[in-house]
Amino acid sequence: MMQIEQIDTVPEHERALADLLAGRYPDERGRYGAFGGRYVPETLIPAHERLERGARRWLADAEFQSELDQQLRDWVGRPTPISPAPHLSKRWGAQVWLKREDLAHTGAHKINNALGQALLARRLGARRVVAETGAGQHGVASAAACARVGLPCTVYMGEVDMARQAPNVGRMKLLGATVVAVASGDRTLRAAIDEALRDWVSDPTSSYYLLGSAVGAHPYPYIVRELQAIIGREARAQMLEHAGALPDLVVACVGGGSNAIGLFHAFLGDRSVAMLGVEAGGRGAGLGDNAATLVYGHPGVLHGSYSMLLQDRHGQIQETHSISAGLDYPGVGPEHALLASIGRVRYEAASDDEALAAVKECCECEGILPAIESAHALAGARRWAASHPGTRILVGVSGRGDKDMLTLTQSLLAPLASALKEAQP
Ligand SMILES: *Cc1c(COP(=O)(O)O)cnc(C)c1O
């Protein structure tokens, strides 16, 4: 009797974690517990179903995997190293390790997904690839991967973003992609996604839609997680080899959630390993001042998936703000919504100012210029170290900060220059 009662009172989240570890998510409806699914117009259902069948088949195929592994090694430069961070360790009073996705080809983790999906597109018989991009990083990774794999690539990008991210537009064009300016809607990422989907649905058998984060309708969150999980598999083995133990904490920044789910996945079953996802806290907690979806959001449907969202009382999607373009998105992948709801991963926000301070500290202490996105993870790690002295912390450095020089010049270097001028007698 006692025992039956105990089983019956096993908390719901323990069962969800067991299901997760047994590989039961996404389930046959594309769900992660209550989250995920496929909320798309009727016209897009067959294309998603075909993609799901293709992904399940090829991602489990030994020959596909060996082709992917070879390209990841020879072209992307994997495995990326983990670097001990001796100076940050000393300042924070912890043992800090950095997983260096900034050293991957094109400068961030996004290439793992873009390459994998480009290879998948070819196996599925696609003759062209369609992608969307906001800040341009996913567009660049897609253009590079398509060039490598030998598929033409069309990238949809909002006019506003094209003006803000001109260097990335040039990179995409050099890499052979066609960049289509989107003048409809908000003329940023959301409108670009709509246009890319419209293109895909007009010819879903010969074109392939290459989505850039662990978001969207099933099977995209699953495909992206599978392709990014190499980050955590490598990092876990590297920690055991170089640190001689697993980390006490694993930290990553969360925009749509692809680098974080990729880093976290291999550690989910390690009960001793705590996990922290850090979202963009922007200017603060007010509506429109941040992009911290799991911290401040509510459940709802965006871009084909039921997950957490930044929305107002009437369900209208909120404008977001973050100093880092890559985190500036009102949604988040459904698997993170599940991990948050069962408490396996803790999610916090780091502000623009905390991220900028972390960029500076990482540059000066370790000689590494991180992306402002990645600096949110560093800021979260620093905070955790203050209350957990002496622990081992693994931080995902999702990308390098060279792309952020315009922002960094305005926010870190210009104030420094004017302060120096004022200090002159
Ligand atoms: C795009 C990007 C991110 C955010 O995307 P996720 O899907 O949340 O990983 C984080 N860091 C860098 C460097 C990026 O380019």
Side-chain angles (χ1 to χ4, degrees):
M1 197 59 203
M2 226 15 230
Q3 249 176 352
I4 289 169
E5 249 179 53
Q6 273 175 1
I7 290 167
D8 279 344
T9 53
V10 167
E12 189 62 31
H13 62 253
E14 282 294 329
R15 201 170 317 158
L17 182 60
D19 282 345
L20 187 75
L21 295 175
R24 291 193 199 103
Y25 296 135
D27 65 19
E28 66 282 357
R29 293 182 309 150
R31 291 198 170 257
Y32 303 79
F35 302 102
R38 184 182 285 151
Y39 295 85
V40 298
E42 204 65 36
T43 47
L44 281 171
I45 298 272
H48 282 86
E49 285 177 347
R50 203 161 35 237
L51 177 59
E52 181 185 353
R53 284 193 300 274
R56 294 253 182 223
R57 166 170 178 208
W58 289 111
L59 293 179
D61 182 84
E63 197 200 318
F64 177 86
Q65 275 304 335
S66 88
E67 181 182 20
L68 176 59
D69 287 348
Q70 196 175 340
Q71 294 274 18
L72 286 170
R73 187 190 67 209
D74 300 343
W75 184 69
V76 173
R78 303 207 74 90
T80 59
I82 56 166
S83 304
H87 305 286
L88 289 178
S89 297
K90 203 156 163 211
R91 286 173 72 125
W92 298 357
Q95 302 168 50
V96 185
W97 298 78
L98 307 175
K99 177 59 173 169
R100 303 289 307 280
E101 293 303 289
D102 59 308
L103 294 178
H105 180 45
T106 66
H109 69 287
K110 285 196 172 71
I111 197 70
N112 305 323
N113 172 52
L115 172 66
Q117 287 200 55
L119 289 171
L120 181 61
R122 206 177 53 190
R123 295 279 174 155
L124 296 177
R127 287 195 294 276
R128 62 187 282 271
V129 165
V130 184
E132 86 295 317
T133 198
Q137 295 302 113
H138 173 59
V140 170
S142 298
C146 287
R148 178 73 178 182
V149 168
L151 282 169
C153 180
T154 302
V155 182
Y156 288 88
M157 189 171 189
E159 276 182 344
V160 172
D161 290 332
M162 283 180 78
R164 285 194 291 214
Q165 310 287 343
N168 277 339
V169 177
R171 266 178 216 130
M172 285 182 255
K173 288 180 176 168
L174 275 175
L175 290 162
T178 305
V179 182
V180 179
V182 176
S184 56
D186 63 358
R187 298 188 296 148
T188 67
L189 180 62
R190 271 170 68 199
I193 292 175
D194 290 340
E195 285 306 311
L197 282 170
R198 202 163 297 160
D199 181 323
W200 185 35
V201 76
S202 73
D203 189 4
T205 41
S206 64
S207 54
Y208 179 96
Y209 178 37
L210 206 173
L211 188 60
S213 189
V215 299
H218 182 60
Y220 282 105
Y222 160 74
I223 293 174
V224 177
R225 177 193 84 195
E226 292 296 293
L227 294 173
Q228 294 291 6
I230 190 163
I231 304 172
R233 282 199 303 273
E234 285 177 6
R236 192 176 183 283
Q238 288 166 323
M239 282 300 293
L240 291 172
E241 186 183 337
H242 300 298
L246 290 174
D248 299 301
L249 178 75
V250 179
V251 194
C253 66
V254 180
S258 70
N259 88 89
I261 204 72
L263 181 61
F264 292 165
H265 231 257
F267 294 98
L268 285 173
D270 298 312
R271 293 292 182 131
S272 67
V273 179
M275 278 181 240
L276 175 63
V278 187
E279 300 190 303
R283 294 181 291 250
L287 273 183
D289 284 339
N290 62 73
T293 312
L294 290 160
V295 174
Y296 299 119
H298 302 282
V301 173
L302 176 68
H303 295 138
S305 175
Y306 180 72
S307 183
M308 297 296 277
L309 287 184
L310 288 168
Q311 54 192 330
D312 66 16
R313 283 185 300 128
H314 311 290
Q316 291 291 329
I317 306 300
Q318 284 302 293
E319 292 291 308
T320 51
H321 162 81
S322 169
I323 193 166
S324 59
L327 302 185
D328 203 351
Y329 179 69
V332 67
E335 195 161 4
H336 286 291
L338 172 68
L339 290 169
S341 74
I342 66 176
R344 179 63 185 95
V345 180
R346 182 179 163 75
Y347 296 85
E348 294 178 359
S351 70
D352 289 351
D353 289 344
E354 287 177 286
L356 285 172
V359 168
K360 196 157 177 287
E361 186 176 41
C362 186
C363 282
E364 291 171 0
C365 287
E366 302 297 344
I368 296 168
L369 168 53
I372 305 179
E373 289 85 353
S374 321
H376 287 73
L378 289 162
R382 184 188 222 279
R383 221 188 279 149
W384 200 82
S387 52
H388 299 79
T391 50
R392 270 182 306 275
I393 305 178
L394 172 64
V395 187
V397 179
S398 53
R400 62 180 178 232
D402 305 53
K403 68 180 176 60
D404 296 322
M405 274 320 295
L406 195 61
T407 308
L408 294 173
T409 302
Q410 286 162 357
S411 48
L412 285 179
L413 296 174
L416 198 66
S418 67
L420 282 175
K421 207 182 283 170
E422 267 168 36
Q424 308 260 314

